[in-house]
Amino acid sequence: MSNTVNNYEKQFRLLDDIASNLFFGANIPLLERNRSNFMAMNNLTSEIKVILANYNNLNLDNLFFYNDSYSFIIEKGGLTEVADMFEDHYINPQYNAAFWKKQLEEDYHMRIFPAAQFQKRNINGKVEQAGTYFPVIVKNSLQKNSYIAAFIDADEIYLNSHFSDNNLFYIEDEHGKRFFSTSLIKALTNFRAAGNGEAYDSNNNNYYFYQTGEKSKLTYVSVTPNQQIASTVSRLSLLLLILFALSLVVSLLISILFSIRFKLPVQRMLESLQKMNPNFNFNSTIREYTQIGDKLKSIIVSTQKINQDLQMKDSLLKTYSYWNKVKNIPLEHKEMQNLIDNTQPFYFVMYQLQSIRSGQQISAAEMNKTAHFVDLINSTILLRFKQSETLQIEKDLMVSIIFDDDPLPIQEMLFATLQDLVRLFNDQNESYVTIATNPRLRNHSDFTNAYEETLEMIHERKLNANTQLITELDGEKNGLQIPPSELKKLSAHLAAGNATDIMQIIHRLLQRLHTKGRAVEYRKMANDISSEILLVLMSQKIEVGDLLSELAPYEQIKEFVTIDQYFFFYRVLIERAVALINNKKADKDPIVDYVLAYMERHSGEDISQEDIASKLNISIGYMGKYIKNKTGKTFNEYLEDIRISKAKVILVESDDKIHEIANKVGYHNANSFTRMFKRITGVTPGEYRLEKRAESDTSLQIPTIL
């Protein structure tokens, strides 16, 4: 019973720890600050996938992030509408969408809810059984409008945690409410367990063994019928009687045949035990000896299997211990520390494997391919360095730890081995590999620093599909940051539908990246520009769901290894985005068209909202809300955009002074005009004039390689 309770409680504690780590990780705080951060949403989905893949012992069916400000849930499948989640994927009247929303009002840190049978809707619209799950919610006191929730497979956790010779088991809370029960338990009379211990119910002749969990406060009850105990005792008594009789017979036979039949078989069995060899033979007409010999063979075979299993588990524990040591996670048990208690200096090598076609889901073929690479690395390293450990610490990251205290010979052999791996990996056409190592001997306590340094070196990878060996850091810590002024220009050109101007901005940024050529900076720039484009579309109230599902920009970016791929991606993304904006503009509306046309004609005058509203025979408030709902911009924002657009034309085509241009486009104060111009464009009017004239003089051309 104690093992059952400990297994259940340990999984609940582990789920609490995992949820707390997500709350204090990088992505949920980013979403708290910026609820439109698609990168954080995408990364949180990846974190959930990794947890579900790596923590099979949690028996999780799903893990998701619920935030009251979203109409969707972030779970293993990505972004899922709340209605779809609880009306299609996890259907149960008790745990409907209202239930999950109501939990935000409740004050608790972690709560486990009674297990229930859930249903799901298949692709044909038919409702079918999904499984029996414990809903579990974990909250963070600092984030009141969100929580982490999970569905634990109640049947799986029962099979993996309960150890008994029958299936009479149930769980209840301190008020006697049933949280889970096996199908057979329903036939028993009600019995109320209190505290820890055991009891006998004379009403139905059952023994009850129960214990309350320290974490969940749930009471776990295992039922054993009196009839079963009596039957077991009877069988044991009969077995003991048979064994006693058999011992008497064997003793009598041994005493008679000791000299001729006892010595040789026993001697062979003892020799077999000493050598742990199950393949022994002896000639004996004593049936009991034959049975003992067969049993001994079975014991030896079982012992060998147990030893093999222990060796395999020791290897897994050793890998896990190195994993924790590398990531500076304290080890809980001294025995695990002893597995890796090596005080020798070491070399540290990191490998990053990435498929040319990664996709959203990790296929079985890709998993086999990763396993093949791990085996290839392990066999190559072990062939040259007997004192080494190669382990996989992430789905795409492997490390080799090579122990030795003789720097030069090992260093030369290490370089030669890594060059051999580079040639081997270059023959693999479906993936590209980055190998990073600082070729210096490290102290045995320097695992975490070695991991962090080589991980940083991985980011020095250049933008190409070849296998790369990196042995030093560039030294430049800060990569390219897109200036806010460039992002503002990009947003303004996108809102105006100017695809050519956007591509010129992107071309300039790509030229700046070309000097270092680090792949991680190309990827970061693509993510930032994609996010900016999506934000502009959403600000225009344009639905971006089709664009995300069709292009999958964040997934595509992970696969790019050439500048041509990036440039083609930008061109397609911008063309689609501009098309969406132009389609939005093409939707004609009489009121909006009239107001915008009036502002175009009278932009250089004092425009009164009252005059326009009276001409349309509507109120000022209604007109303002109508324009905002239809266009996504306020009346004043449109007016400022029109005036600044006309000012940009005058600045380029004339030599008028700034205050003269300000008067022409409706500003009576040159300072107000300058402030508004810089707020919208990111530069002053004078800087804009100089920049545009310089561009026309140099007539910038895009290189043919793009």
Side-chain angles (χ1 to χ4, degrees):
M1 192 64 212
S2 295
N3 288 336
T4 298
V5 175
N6 288 337
N7 287 337
Y8 270 95
E9 294 297 306
K10 182 164 65 176
Q11 296 194 47
F12 292 144
R13 286 195 299 271
L14 183 55
L15 178 59
D16 187 8
D17 293 342
I18 289 172
S20 298
N21 288 338
L22 286 176
F23 276 122
F24 293 104
N27 297 304
I28 291 181
L30 285 176
L31 291 174
E32 289 292 321
R33 295 193 294 270
N34 181 7
R35 57 188 301 269
S36 300
N37 192 325
F38 289 96
M39 276 294 295
M41 295 178 189
N42 188 58
N43 290 338
L44 182 56
T45 300
S46 298
E47 276 194 89
I48 291 173
K49 290 180 182 177
V50 170
I51 290 171
L52 294 177
N54 292 342
Y55 289 89
N56 295 327
N57 59 329
L58 276 176
N59 304 294
L60 290 178
D61 184 74
N62 204 342
L63 184 72
F64 62 88
F65 174 69
Y66 187 101
N67 188 296
D68 194 32
S69 62
Y70 293 134
S71 64
F72 52 83
I73 285 172
I74 302 175
E75 48 102 24
K76 65 181 180 181
L79 306 184
T80 303
E81 293 291 332
V82 174
D84 293 341
M85 185 73 170
F86 302 116
E87 294 178 10
D88 289 337
H89 304 313
Y90 294 93
I91 306 172
N92 183 281
Q94 180 182 354
Y95 300 111
N96 54 21
F99 164 82
W100 297 98
K101 183 176 180 64
K102 183 180 178 182
Q103 296 311 305
L104 291 170
E105 305 170 4
E106 302 290 334
D107 185 16
Y108 57 81
H109 169 63
M110 178 177 181
R111 183 170 291 176
I112 305 162
F113 295 92
Q117 178 68 47
F118 285 81
Q119 297 176 310
K120 62 182 179 181
R121 201 180 307 277
N122 61 24
I123 58 176
N124 298 322
K126 184 179 179 181
V127 175
E128 58 187 24
Q129 297 299 323
T132 303
Y133 305 126
F134 284 109
V136 182
I137 293 177
V138 181
K139 294 184 176 182
N140 179 9
S141 60
L142 300 178
Q143 296 163 338
K144 301 294 186 181
N145 65 333
S146 62
Y147 56 74
I148 300 290
F151 288 108
I152 298 180
D153 193 318
D155 293 329
E156 285 295 326
I157 194 174
Y158 166 73
L159 291 175
N160 295 331
S161 302
H162 182 60
F163 305 100
S164 178
D165 54 358
N166 64 50
N167 290 323
L168 300 177
F169 177 78
Y170 64 92
I171 304 173
E172 62 181 23
D173 65 7
E174 56 189 0
H175 303 295
K177 183 177 180 180
R178 287 283 174 90
F179 267 57
F180 173 76
S181 63
T182 59
S183 58
L184 296 177
I185 205 70
K186 298 177 181 177
L188 300 176
T189 59
N190 292 328
F191 172 79
R192 180 66 187 278
N196 299 325
E198 60 185 54
Y200 176 71
D201 186 2
S202 58
N203 292 329
N204 52 24
N205 293 324
N206 289 325
Y207 284 94
Y208 292 81
F209 302 91
Y210 46 89
Q211 185 174 333
T212 300
E214 181 179 353
K215 174 73 175 177
S216 65
K217 304 304 179 186
L218 299 176
T219 299
Y220 304 83
V221 184
S222 180
V223 184
T224 303
N226 184 45
Q227 181 181 0
Q228 180 181 345
I229 295 176
S231 175
T232 302
V233 171
S234 298
R235 288 196 303 271
L236 289 175
S237 299
L238 179 60
L239 180 60
L240 288 173
L241 183 60
I242 293 172
L243 289 175
F244 179 71
L246 182 61
S247 66
L248 288 176
V249 173
V250 171
S251 298
L252 181 60
L253 292 174
I254 289 174
S255 64
I256 297 172
L257 304 174
F258 177 78
S259 61
I260 58 175
R261 295 187 178 181
F262 178 75
K263 184 178 180 181
L264 184 58
V266 171
Q267 184 177 358
R268 289 184 178 178
M269 284 188 282
L270 290 175
E271 290 175 353
S272 177
L273 277 174
Q274 290 174 351
K275 298 178 180 179
M276 293 302 290
N277 177 21
N279 301 316
F280 65 91
N281 295 307
F282 61 91
N283 296 321
S284 177
T285 58
I286 301 175
R287 185 180 60 183
E288 288 76 9
Y289 272 5
T290 303
Q291 292 175 346
I292 293 172
D294 292 342
K295 189 66 176 177
L296 185 58
K297 291 180 181 180
S298 175
I299 291 172
I300 294 174
V301 171
S302 298
T303 303
Q304 290 176 342
K305 289 182 178 178
I306 290 171
N307 287 334
Q308 291 174 356
D309 184 60
L310 287 175
Q311 290 175 359
M312 182 186 71
K313 289 180 178 177
D314 278 349
S315 177
L316 292 175
L317 282 174
K318 192 173 184 180
T319 299
Y320 176 73
S321 300
Y322 273 115
W323 186 10
N324 281 266
K325 192 172 183 67
V326 164
K327 295 198 172 184
N328 201 20
I329 301 173
L331 296 175
E332 297 179 359
H333 302 289
K334 186 176 180 180
E335 290 78 5
M336 295 176 63
Q337 176 65 44
N338 292 336
L339 288 173
I340 59 171
D341 192 8
N342 194 324
T343 58
Q344 285 185 284
F346 65 93
Y347 291 97
F348 196 88
V349 185
M350 180 177 290
Y351 318 86
Q352 184 182 57
L353 169 68
Q354 184 171 338
S355 298
I356 298 298
R357 295 288 179 185
S358 61
Q360 293 186 351
Q361 300 293 334
I362 302 175
S363 66
E366 288 174 333
M367 293 179 66
N368 291 334
K369 182 167 59 182
T370 302
H372 167 70
F373 271 91
V374 174
D375 291 340
L376 181 61
I377 293 170
N378 193 33
S379 60
T380 304
I381 295 295
L382 275 177
L383 184 64
R384 311 279 180 87
F385 311 100
K386 300 303 180 184
Q387 296 188 71
S388 65
E389 295 289 339
T390 297
L391 55 146
Q392 183 172 359
I393 59 174
E394 302 287 353
K395 67 177 182 180
D396 59 345
L397 281 181
M398 287 74 74
V399 299
S400 290
I401 305 168
I402 301 167
F403 296 98
D404 203 277
D405 52 9
D406 192 4
L408 285 179
I410 294 299
Q411 190 178 94
E412 294 173 0
M413 187 185 299
L414 177 60
F415 269 113
T417 304
L418 295 181
Q419 291 293 348
D420 289 343
L421 284 174
V422 169
R423 286 189 289 272
L424 286 172
F425 292 146
N426 278 331
D427 293 336
Q428 310 287 332
N429 296 324
E430 298 178 354
S431 303
Y432 64 89
V433 181
T434 309
I435 306 175
T437 183
N438 187 334
R440 65 183 177 88
L441 206 56
R442 296 178 179 272
N443 186 277
H444 70 277
S445 61
D446 202 25
F447 278 100
T448 302
N449 289 336
Y451 169 76
E452 292 174 350
E453 182 178 351
T454 49
L455 187 60
E456 188 175 353
M457 292 171 69
I458 288 288
H459 294 160
E460 296 289 336
R461 178 181 178 85
K462 304 302 181 184
L463 187 66
N464 60 59
N466 298 325
T467 298
Q468 297 181 22
L469 175 59
I470 301 170
T471 58
E472 60 182 358
L473 284 170
D474 185 284
E476 183 180 336
K477 297 293 184 182
N478 298 322
L480 173 72
Q481 298 292 331
I482 302 179
S485 60
E486 295 287 358
L487 286 177
K488 286 184 179 180
K489 291 178 184 178
L490 188 147
S491 300
H493 289 315
L494 181 60
N498 298 328
T500 302
D501 292 336
I502 298 173
M503 290 305 297
Q504 288 180 348
I505 293 173
I506 290 173
H507 173 64
R508 288 198 301 272
L509 294 173
L510 287 175
Q511 283 183 321
R512 291 175 59 188
L513 281 178
H514 186 67
T515 303
K516 296 294 182 183
R518 288 186 287 214
V520 66
E521 294 183 351
Y522 282 95
R523 190 155 47 248
K524 182 181 184 304
M525 171 182 154
N527 282 321
D528 290 345
I529 291 177
S530 299
S531 298
E532 186 69 21
I533 289 173
L534 293 174
L535 286 173
V536 172
L537 293 176
M538 288 190 294
S539 69
Q540 298 283 339
K541 295 188 177 299
I542 296 175
E543 177 59 45
V544 298
D546 293 340
L547 186 65
L548 287 172
S549 61
E550 183 178 354
L551 291 180
Y554 299 113
E555 291 300 326
Q556 281 195 61
I557 291 168
K558 295 178 183 178
E559 304 175 6
F560 295 159
V561 294
T562 68
I563 197 170
D564 289 329
Q565 290 174 316
Y566 276 104
F567 197 77
F568 180 76
F569 163 78
Y570 286 129
R571 185 157 54 82
V572 173
L573 179 61
I574 290 166
E575 286 176 356
R576 299 285 179 84
V578 169
L580 289 173
I581 288 178
N582 290 336
N583 291 339
K584 178 75 173 181
K585 292 179 179 179
D587 295 337
K588 298 297 182 180
D589 185 279
I591 295 178
V592 174
D593 290 347
Y594 178 83
V595 173
L596 297 183
Y598 186 91
M599 286 191 289
E600 281 282 353
R601 293 193 304 271
H602 302 280
S603 60
E605 307 170 11
D606 290 333
I607 296 179
S608 169
Q609 294 190 52
E610 291 86 352
D611 292 343
I612 300 176
S614 64
K615 293 178 185 298
L616 293 170
N617 198 25
I618 58 178
S619 69
I620 299 174
Y622 176 79
M623 182 182 73
K625 290 180 180 179
Y626 189 88
I627 292 174
K628 176 69 174 177
N629 290 335
K630 290 293 184 180
T631 67
K633 291 186 178 182
T634 65
F635 179 91
N636 289 330
E637 287 173 342
Y638 257 115
L639 180 58
E640 299 296 348
D641 285 346
I642 290 172
R643 286 173 169 171
I644 296 303
S645 295
K646 290 190 174 183
K648 287 159 72 173
V649 175
I650 299 173
L651 283 166
V652 175
E653 296 180 353
S654 74
D655 294 322
D656 292 351
K657 296 181 179 179
I658 302 301
H659 71 273
E660 295 174 345
I661 298 174
N663 287 328
K664 287 182 179 181
V665 297
Y667 291 93
H668 300 299
N669 187 300
N671 290 333
S672 298
F673 167 68
T674 300
R675 283 195 300 271
M676 183 58 65
F677 192 95
K678 186 172 183 179
R679 185 175 70 82
I680 292 177
T681 65
V683 295
T684 64
E687 291 170 343
Y688 180 84
R689 171 180 277 168
L690 291 174
E691 181 180 313
K692 288 300 179 182
R693 289 184 177 179
E695 288 178 2
S696 63
D697 291 339
T698 57
S699 62
L700 178 65
Q701 294 182 355
I702 298 175
T704 57
I705 65 166
L706 299 182

